[in-house]
C-alpha cells in the first residue's frame, strides 16, 4: 500500500490475498515474486481513479544501489568497518580479550590479501599493565619488608620465622578470594600489595616479644609460650581493628562500593590469616628453630664488627626515646597544646589543596570530539575531520587514530580516539600533547572541538565517559532552558582551569514545518496518519518489501526523486487518497511555517535538560566546582529549573561521601573492638586519641608533594587508621600489664615505652 500511495495508486495486491480499502476491494496484483531489482519495475499497478494499468517502471526509476551513508569510519586514514565486542557483566575482561585475539588471528589467515583485521582499542591492556606493576610492587614490597625485619632484628632465624607469614598469608588469602568468587585483578592485587606490611606486623610483634624473653635467659619453648601469651591480646586487638576499618568499605554504596568491595574483604581476609599464623606457626617455629641465647648476648652483639653499630644505634634510640618520654610526661599540657596546634594547622592545609575523584594518570589515550554547525553534510564533516586527523598524526608518539564521522548518524559530528606509545617511550605527557593540539586545532575555521584524556580505569560506563565538568540544566520549557544554559555556559567558559567548554543545545538550521490541519483533513476524508505517512514516504523513503539475494535480504525502498523533494512546493503536490474518493493534495491539508528546532532533545527522568561539558587544565575539579557553584546560584531562574553536576563531579561526591561514612563506621567498630578487648570504656579513647594526630603527617606530606585529596588518598587515610591503632594498642596493653604488676602509672609508661618502640617502628617501616 505504501508503494502505491507514493506514486498515486491506492493499493497493491500481494499473492497472499486481496486488499480492502474503505468499503471497496481493489483487485491489483503483483506480477510474480520479487527476485531481483528489475522485478520491482514490473509490478503492475492501477492508476487511481481511472483504473488504467501501469507498471512501476513507467512512473518510477528503479535503482540497485546502497542506502545513503550516514556514518564513515577509518583507522589511520584507511576506510574501515569497526566491530565493538562487549563482555558480559560476569565475564573476565582479559579472558574475553584473549579469546577475541585468537579469533582475529584465525580470521586474518582467511581474509583477502588487501583486507586486514586488527584490534584498535583493547581495555584489557590497561588491566594487564597495572596487574604486572602491582605484582612487581607486591614482590618488591615483600622483599623490602623482610629486609626491614632483618635490619631491626639482626638475626636470620628471626627474620625467616617472621617472613614465613608472608607467603603463608598470601596463599591462604587466595583460597578465601576463590571462595568469595574474586579474581586476581587490579583491586585485589592492590589490596594484597598494601597488605604486605600488615601481614608481617603480627609475626614481627610476636617474634620480637619471644626474642626479648629469650634475652632474659628463658629457653626457646618457655619463651615462645610466655612471649606469645603476653602479647596475644594486643595482637588480636590490632588485627580486629584492621578488620573493623576495612570491613565497612566492602559494604559502601555507589561506584566506590562496587569497586572497593573486593578490596576491603581481601585485606580483612589477609590480616585474619596472618593473625592465625602469628599465634600458631610463629611460636612453634620459634621453639624449634631458634637456639638458646647465651648470657651477655646483647653485649656480644654490641661489639659485633658488622652489626655492632646498628645495635648501639638502636640502644641510643631507646635511650633518646626514654628521655623524650620523661620530658613529655612532665610537660603534659605543653605536649597536648603542641599536638592540638599541629592538628589544627594540618587541617588548614586542606584549604590550599585541591580535590578530585582520581588521578587520571597517563595511559596515552585521548579523545577528540568534533562538532560542526547543524545542517553540515556528511561530506563536509568528513573533509574537516580529515584536517583534524592530519594535525593529530603530526603529534610525536601517536600510533593509532581511529575515526568515526557521524557517530549515531549525527552527520555534523565526528569522534576520534587516539592512542600513543606508553609513557616511558614519550618525552611529553598526554596532557602536554593535548595543549599542543589545542593551539593547532584553533586554526581550523568553524571547528568546535573538545579534547579529553581517556578515563584511568578504561571503563565503558557512561559516568566515566562523560567530561570531567558535566553540568545538566534541567527544566520543563526548552526556551527558558536555553536562556539559563546560555548564561551558565558563559560562566563555565570563563572559569579558570576550564578548557573546551561546549553546549549540547544547538538551535539547528532553519527548517520548514509542515503542520497538518486536522480539521481540514477530517472534512476532506483524509486521516492525519495517512497524510503524515505520505510525507514521510516521499521525503525520507520507506522500505516496503524485501528480496532475497543469496543469503541476504535487501530492502526495497520507495522515495521521491531528489529533484522532486528538493523544494516544499514539489512535496506539497503529493496526493493523499480520501476515503470519500479521489485524491487530495497535501497543499490543501498542511500549513507551512519556518522555525529553528534544537539539533537534539535530551531528557533525564523524563525531564528535559541541556548539557554543558568542559575539560580541565591545570586545576583540580574540586577547585573549579568551588568557584563555579556560587556563580550558578546567582543565575535567575523560576521554579522547576535547576543545575545538576554529573560525570566525574557526581562520582567524586558519591565516593567521598561513601568513604567518609565507611571511615566513621570504622572508627565506631574500632571502639567496640577495643572496649571488648580491654573490658574498659576508657582505654579505647586513650588509644583512639592517636588517630587525629596521624592526620598531621598524612596531610603534610600530601601538601608538600602537591598531591590532591582524592579517592585513593582517602583510601590511604583509612589504611592509616588501622596502622596507628596497632602501635597505640601495643603501648597501652603493655602499660596495663605493668600496672597490674604493681607499677605506678608513670613507671609503667616509662618501662613500657622503650621495649615497644621497635615493635612499632618495624611494622611502620615495613
Amino acid at each position: 500500500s505504501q508503494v502505491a500511495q507514493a506514486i498515486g495508486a491506492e493499493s497493491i495486491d500481494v499473492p497472499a490475498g486481496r486488499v480492502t480499502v474503505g468499503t471497496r476491494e481493489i483487485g491489483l496484483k503483483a506480477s510474480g515474486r520479487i527476485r531481483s531489482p528489475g522485478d520491482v519495475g514490473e509490478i503492475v499497478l492501477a492508476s487511481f481513479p481511472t483504473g488504467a494499468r501501469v507498471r512501476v517502471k513507467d512512473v518510477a526509476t528503479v535503482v540497485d544501489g546502497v542506502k545513503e551513508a550516514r556514518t564513515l569510519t577509518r583507522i589511520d586514514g584507511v576506510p574501515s568497518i569497526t566491530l565493538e565486542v562487549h563482555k558480559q557483566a560476569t565475564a573476565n575482561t582479559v579472558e574475553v580479550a584473549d579469546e577475541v585475539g585468537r579469533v582475529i588471528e584465525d580470521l586474518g589467515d582467511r581474509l583477502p590479501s588487501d583486507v586486514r583485521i586488527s584490534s584498535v582499542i583493547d581495555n584489557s591492556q590497561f588491566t594487564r599493565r597495572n596487574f604486572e606493576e602491582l605484582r612487581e610492587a607486591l614482590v618488591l614490597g615483600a622483599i623490602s619488608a623482610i629486609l626491614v625485619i632483618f635490619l631491626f632484628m639482626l638475626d636470620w632465624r628471626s627474620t625467616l620465622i617472621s617472613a614465613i607469614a608472608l607467603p603463608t598469608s598470601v596463599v591462604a588469602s587466595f583460597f578465601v578470594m576463590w571462595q568469595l568468587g574474586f579474581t586476581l585483578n587490579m583491586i585485589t592485587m592492590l589490596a594484597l600489595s598494601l597488605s604486605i606490611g600488615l601481614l608481617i606486623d603480627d609475626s614481627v610483634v610476636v617474634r620480637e616479644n619471644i626474642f626479648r624473653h629469650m634475652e632474659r635467659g628463658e629457653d626457646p619453648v618457655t619463651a615462645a609460650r610466655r612471649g606469645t601469651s603476653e602479647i596475644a591480646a594486643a595482637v588480636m586487638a590490632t588485627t580486629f581493628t584492621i578488620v573493623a576499618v576495612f570491613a565497612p568499605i566492602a559494604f559502601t554504596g555507589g561506584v566506590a562500593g562496587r569497586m572497593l568491595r573486593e578490596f576491603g574483604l581481601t585485606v580483612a581476609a589477609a590480616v585474619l590469616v596472618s593473625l592465625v599464623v602469628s599465634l600458631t606457626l610463629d611460636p612453634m617455629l620459634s621453639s624449634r628453630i631458634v637456639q638458646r641465647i647465651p648470657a651477655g648476648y646483647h653485649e656480644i652483639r654490641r661489639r659485633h664488627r658488622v652489626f655492632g653499630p646498628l645495635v648501639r644505634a638502636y640502644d641510643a634510640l631507646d635511650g633518646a626515646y626514654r628521655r623524650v618520654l620523661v620530658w613529655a610526661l612532665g610537660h603534659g599540657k605543653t605536649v597536648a597544646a603542641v599536638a592540638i596546634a599541629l592538628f589544627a594547622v594540618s587541617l588548614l592545609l586542606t584549604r590550599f589543596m585541591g580535590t578530585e575523584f582520581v588521578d587520571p594518570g597517563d595511559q596515552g589515550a585521548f579523545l577528540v570530539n568534533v562538532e560542526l554547525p547543524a545542517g553540515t553534510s556528511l561530506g563536509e564533516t568528513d573533509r574537516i575531520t580529515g584536517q583534524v586527523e592530519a594535525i593529530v598524526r603530526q603529534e610525536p608518539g601517536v600510533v593509532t587514530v581511529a575515526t568515526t564521522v557521524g557517530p549515531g548518524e549525527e552527520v555534523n559530528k565526528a569522534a576520534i580516539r587516539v592512542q600513543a606509545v606508553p609513557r616511558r617511550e614519550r618525552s611529553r605527557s598526554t596532557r602536554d600533547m593535548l595543549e599542543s593540539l589545542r593551539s593547532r586545532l584553533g586554526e581550523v575555521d568553524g571547528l568546535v572541538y573538545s579534547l579529553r584524556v581517556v578515563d584511568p580505569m578504561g571503563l565503558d560506563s557512561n559516568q566515566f565517559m562523560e567530561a570531567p565538568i558535566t553540568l545538566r540544566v534541567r527544566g520543563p520549557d526548552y526556551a527558558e532552558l536555553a536562556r539559563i544554559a546560555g548564561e551558565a555556559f558563559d560562566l563555565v567558559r570563563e572559569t579558570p582551569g576550564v578548557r573546551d567548554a561546549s553546549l549540547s543545545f544547538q538551535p539547528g538550521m532553519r527548517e520548514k514545518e509542515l503542520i497538518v490541519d486536522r480539521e481540514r483533513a477530517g472534512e476532506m476524508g483524509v486521516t492525519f496518519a495517512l497524510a503524515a505517512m505520505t510525507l514521510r514516504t516521499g521525503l525520507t523513503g520507506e522500505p516496503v518489501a524485501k528480496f532475497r539475494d543469496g543469503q541476504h535480504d535487501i530492502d526495497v525502498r520507495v522515495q521521491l526523486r531528489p529533484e522532486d523533494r528538493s523544494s516544499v512546493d514539489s512535496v506539497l503536490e503529493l496526493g493523499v487518497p480520501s476515503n470519500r474518493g479521489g485524491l487530495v493534495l497535501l497543499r490543501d491539508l498542511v500549513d507551512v511555517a519556518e522555525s529553528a528546532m534544537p539539533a537534539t532533545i535530551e531528557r533525564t527522568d523524563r525531564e528535559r535538560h541541556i548539557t554543558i561539558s568542559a575539560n580541565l587544565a591545570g586545576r583540580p575539579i574540586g577547585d573549579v566546582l568551588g568557584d563555579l557553584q556560587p556563580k550558578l546560584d546567582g543565575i535567575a531562574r523560576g521554579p522547576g529549573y535547576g543545575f545538576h553536576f554529573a560525570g566525574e563531579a557526581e562520582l567524586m561526591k558519591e565516593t567521598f561521601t561513601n568513604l567518609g561514612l565507611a571511615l566513621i563506621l570504622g572508627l565506631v567498630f574500632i571502639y567496640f573492638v577495643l572496649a571488648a578487648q580491654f573490658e574498659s570504656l576508657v582505654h579505647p579513647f586513650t588509644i583512639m586519641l592517636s588517630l587525629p594526630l596521624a592526620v598531621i603527617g598524612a596531610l603534610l606530606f600530601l601538601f608538600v608533594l602537591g598531591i590532591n585529596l582524592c579517592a585513593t588518598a582517602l583510601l590511604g587515610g583509612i589504611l592509616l587508621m588501622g596502622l596507628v591503632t596497632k602501635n597505640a594498642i601495643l603501648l597501652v596493653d603493655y602499660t596495663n600489664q605493668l600496672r597490674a604488676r604493681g607499677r605506678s602509672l608513670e613507671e609503667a609508661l616509662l618501662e613500657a615505652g622503650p621495649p615497644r618502640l621497635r615493635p612499632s617502628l618495624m611494622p611502620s617501616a615495613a
Side-chain angles (χ1 to χ4, degrees):
S1 62
Q2 291 166 334
V3 174
Q5 171 198 321
I7 61 174
E10 232 182 311
S11 179
I12 175 172
D13 264 355
V14 293
R18 302 168 70 82
V19 176
T20 301
V21 178
T23 59
R24 294 174 298 155
E25 190 172 68
I26 309 300
L28 307 177
K29 291 185 178 295
S31 59
R33 296 179 60 188
I34 301 174
R35 295 185 177 88
S36 69
D39 292 341
V40 178
E42 300 299 329
I43 294 177
V44 179
L45 304 170
S47 174
F48 184 86
T50 63
R53 301 264 174 167
V54 296
R55 290 178 299 179
V56 169
K57 68 180 182 180
D58 296 329
V59 293
T61 301
V62 179
V63 179
D64 181 10
V66 296
K67 294 173 63 175
E68 180 182 356
R70 302 286 294 178
T71 301
L72 301 173
T73 57
R74 55 178 168 265
I75 307 298
D76 295 329
V78 180
S80 308
I81 296 175
T82 58
L83 175 67
E84 293 186 2
V85 181
H86 297 267
K87 75 179 186 68
Q88 295 178 349
T90 57
N92 182 279
T93 302
V94 176
E95 291 178 357
V96 171
D98 288 341
E99 186 63 28
V100 170
R102 284 190 287 269
V103 172
I104 289 176
E105 185 178 353
D106 179 61
L107 288 174
D109 298 334
R110 292 185 281 161
L111 290 173
S113 59
D114 58 342
V115 177
R116 181 169 57 92
I117 183 170
S118 60
S119 175
V120 178
I121 299 172
D122 184 357
N123 285 343
S124 71
Q125 294 300 322
F126 176 84
T127 305
R128 296 176 201 273
R129 287 196 302 270
N130 280 270
F131 182 84
E132 291 299 326
E133 291 173 0
L134 286 170
R135 185 168 64 178
E136 180 181 344
L138 183 66
V139 174
L140 291 178
I143 295 173
S144 301
I146 295 172
L147 180 61
V148 166
I149 296 172
F150 180 77
L151 290 176
F152 272 93
M153 289 190 166
L154 302 176
D155 180 74
W156 70 267
R157 291 185 179 86
S158 297
T159 302
L160 176 64
I161 293 171
S162 300
I164 285 177
L166 285 177
T168 307
S169 300
V170 170
V171 172
S173 300
F174 288 159
F175 175 77
V176 176
M177 292 162 56
W178 174 55
Q179 291 297 311
L180 294 174
F182 297 166
T183 60
L184 285 176
N185 52 50
M186 290 183 293
I187 301 299
T188 54
M189 288 294 287
L190 177 64
L192 289 175
S193 62
L194 289 178
S195 300
I196 284 297
L198 300 175
L199 298 181
I200 210 167
D201 282 5
D202 296 339
S203 295
V204 166
V205 171
V206 170
R207 175 58 198 154
E208 199 277 340
N209 205 54
I210 293 174
F211 188 81
R212 191 173 295 277
H213 277 264
M214 293 182 65
E215 283 186 318
R216 298 172 185 170
E218 297 178 1
D219 63 88
V221 175
T222 303
R225 184 176 64 252
R226 292 181 178 177
T228 303
S229 60
E230 183 180 79
I231 203 72
V235 171
M236 292 174 61
T238 59
T239 300
F240 291 150
T241 56
I242 294 288
V243 175
V245 168
F246 281 96
I249 295 180
F251 302 101
T252 54
V255 174
R258 294 195 297 271
M259 291 175 56
L260 299 180
R261 176 175 177 269
E262 295 185 6
F263 181 91
L265 293 180
T266 300
V267 172
V271 295
L272 285 174
V273 171
S274 72
L275 172 65
V276 175
V277 171
S278 66
L279 296 181
T280 56
L281 183 61
D282 286 355
M284 184 275 293
L285 294 176
S286 296
S287 65
R288 295 291 184 266
I289 297 178
V290 180
Q291 299 176 349
R292 181 188 289 271
I293 295 179
Y297 178 71
H298 185 73
E299 289 300 323
I300 296 175
R301 288 208 304 173
R302 282 177 60 88
R303 295 191 298 271
H304 194 278
R305 186 169 54 183
V306 177
F307 299 147
L310 284 175
V311 175
R312 293 192 294 272
Y314 295 148
D315 291 344
L317 180 64
D318 290 345
Y321 175 57
R322 181 181 178 84
R323 290 191 295 273
V324 171
L325 198 57
V326 170
W327 181 89
L329 294 177
H331 301 80
K333 294 181 179 180
T334 303
V335 172
V338 171
I340 294 173
L342 289 175
F343 178 66
V345 170
S346 66
L347 292 181
L348 289 176
L349 291 178
T350 59
R351 298 176 61 88
F352 306 98
M353 300 169 63
T355 55
E356 59 186 359
F357 176 51
V358 290
D359 185 349
D362 191 340
Q363 305 306 321
F366 59 91
L367 304 175
V368 183
N369 293 314
V370 175
E371 184 172 357
L372 299 173
T376 303
S377 66
L378 182 68
E380 180 64 11
T381 304
D382 184 39
R383 184 185 69 81
I384 296 179
T385 303
Q387 299 178 20
V388 176
E389 288 180 86
I391 293 174
V392 170
R393 279 196 291 267
Q394 292 174 5
E395 283 294 315
V398 170
V399 292
T400 304
V401 179
T403 305
T404 301
V405 182
E409 298 194 358
E410 295 183 85
V411 296
N412 64 317
K413 297 181 179 180
I416 304 173
R417 172 152 178 161
V418 184
Q419 182 64 53
V421 296
R423 180 66 182 92
R424 61 180 177 273
E425 301 177 20
R426 283 182 279 122
S427 60
R428 295 189 304 166
S429 68
T430 302
R431 296 188 181 278
D432 292 337
M433 295 173 68
L434 295 187
E435 288 301 318
S436 173
L437 283 175
R438 284 189 179 97
S439 62
R440 297 164 64 191
L441 291 176
E443 301 173 359
V444 181
D445 294 336
L447 179 66
V448 177
Y449 66 91
S450 66
L451 305 170
R452 66 172 296 239
V453 177
V454 173
D455 66 270
M457 299 299 289
L459 300 177
D460 297 326
S461 167
N462 289 332
Q463 286 179 298
F464 283 92
M465 293 305 294
E466 291 175 328
I469 299 293
T470 302
L471 174 64
R472 293 191 177 127
V473 187
R474 303 171 67 167
D477 182 70
Y478 228 79
E480 180 65 9
L481 270 180
R483 180 192 68 80
I484 298 174
E487 294 185 28
F489 176 69
D490 292 336
L491 294 176
V492 171
R493 186 170 50 183
E494 296 167 359
T495 302
V498 170
R499 294 286 188 277
D500 313 326
S502 62
L503 187 65
S504 67
F505 175 78
Q506 300 292 338
M509 61 180 177
R510 304 295 299 180
E511 62 183 16
K512 301 283 188 181
E513 283 190 86
L514 304 181
I515 306 170
V516 178
D517 189 316
R518 292 177 181 269
E519 185 175 348
R520 273 188 282 162
E523 292 174 354
M524 297 181 182
V526 177
T527 64
F528 175 84
L530 188 58
M533 187 187 305
T534 302
L535 276 171
R536 183 181 68 182
T537 304
L539 292 173
T540 64
E542 192 73 22
V544 298
K546 292 180 183 292
F547 77 88
R548 181 172 291 276
D549 180 14
Q551 297 182 349
H552 303 286
D553 287 334
I554 300 177
D555 286 336
V556 178
R557 176 178 290 270
V558 175
Q559 188 178 29
L560 285 178
R561 294 181 303 172
E563 57 267 30
D564 291 333
R565 50 189 165 94
S566 61
S567 68
V568 174
D569 291 336
S570 61
V571 172
L572 294 181
E573 293 299 323
L574 282 174
V576 184
S578 169
N579 56 21
R580 297 180 182 178
L583 292 174
V584 178
L585 297 181
L586 280 175
R587 67 169 60 257
D588 298 325
L589 300 175
V590 301
D591 296 321
V592 181
E594 287 195 6
S595 65
M597 294 295 291
T600 57
I601 295 178
E602 302 172 304
R603 290 187 180 90
T604 299
D605 297 333
R606 301 196 301 176
E607 186 177 33
R608 289 183 172 185
H609 72 260
I610 295 175
T611 302
I612 300 172
S613 303
N615 293 318
L616 299 174
R619 294 188 74 194
I621 187 173
D623 292 356
V624 174
L625 295 180
D627 291 348
L628 190 57
Q629 189 65 59
K631 299 177 183 178
L632 295 175
D633 294 338
I635 296 178
R637 58 186 187 276
Y641 296 89
F643 301 105
H644 171 73
F645 282 101
E648 185 177 330
E650 185 178 28
L651 284 171
M652 183 180 71
K653 180 180 178 182
E654 178 188 84
T655 303
F656 278 31
T657 300
N658 288 326
L659 287 179
L661 178 61
L663 179 59
I664 294 173
L665 288 176
L667 295 177
V668 173
F669 291 161
I670 286 176
Y671 178 82
F672 289 157
V673 168
L674 296 178
Q677 189 72 32
F678 289 98
E679 298 181 352
S680 169
L681 299 177
V682 177
H683 289 316
F685 283 113
T686 307
I687 294 171
M688 295 177 69
L689 277 175
S690 59
L691 294 179
L693 302 184
V695 175
I696 299 172
L699 294 179
L700 177 62
F701 269 77
L702 289 176
F703 177 77
V704 171
L705 298 176
I707 300 174
N708 296 318
L709 291 175
C710 58
T712 47
L714 288 180
L715 193 61
I718 293 175
L719 178 66
L720 182 64
M721 297 300 101
L723 288 174
V724 172
T725 54
K726 289 171 73 75
N727 297 336
I729 289 171
L730 293 176
L731 179 61
V732 172
D733 177 73
Y734 193 35
T735 302
N736 290 338
Q737 292 183 31
L738 295 175
R739 291 288 306 279
R741 298 173 188 171
R743 307 289 201 283
S744 66
L745 177 59
E746 184 170 344
E747 290 175 341
L749 288 169
L750 291 175
E751 188 174 343
R756 288 293 180 260
L757 177 60
R758 269 185 283 178
S760 297
L761 291 178
M762 272 191 286
S764 298

